[in-house]
Amino acid sequence: MTTKTPACGWDQAVFRCGRCGTEHTATIEDDYLKAVGAHGDAHAVWDRLNPIERDGIASILRTILSAPDLAAELLALADRRPAGGDNR
C-alpha cells in the first residue's frame, strides 16, 4: 500500500494582529508577506497621526478609494504641480 504525501509548503496562513485584532488570510506566501507588511506600515503611519489627522485621512481615503478615477486624477494633478507651489 502506498500513501501519497502532500508537497511541502502550506495551503493557507492567517495573520492576526496583536494590536488591533484584524485577521488576514492568504493562500500564497507572497500575498501573506505583502499583507503583513502593509498592515505593519499602516500601523506605523496611523501611530504618527494626531486624532484630527486620523479623522481627515480616513475621510479622504474613503472618498478616494470609492472612486478610482478620482484617485488617478488627483495623482496626475500632484505630478504636474511643482513642489511647494500654489498653482490653482
Side-chain angles (χ1 to χ4, degrees):
M1 186 162 114
T2 59
T3 305
K4 290 187 177 185
T5 56
C8 292
W10 47 278
D11 60 353
Q12 103 177 11
V14 177
F15 164 71
R16 291 178 185 89
C17 178
R19 293 181 63 189
C20 68
T22 195
E23 292 187 7
H24 292 286
T25 302
T27 57
I28 299 171
E29 184 176 9
D30 192 46
D31 291 346
Y32 176 82
L33 295 173
K34 286 177 185 176
V36 171
H39 189 78
D41 290 347
H43 271 293
V45 170
W46 195 254
D47 291 345
R48 295 177 70 180
L49 302 174
N50 66 45
I52 293 171
E53 292 169 331
R54 288 177 180 179
D55 288 345
I57 197 166
S59 176
I60 291 166
L61 287 173
R62 283 186 186 96
T63 300
I64 292 173
L65 292 175
S66 68
D69 292 340
L70 172 62
E73 288 300 319
L74 285 170
L75 286 173
L77 284 174
D79 291 343
R80 283 189 218 113
R81 293 181 63 150
D86 186 19
N87 296 338
R88 294 178 192 193

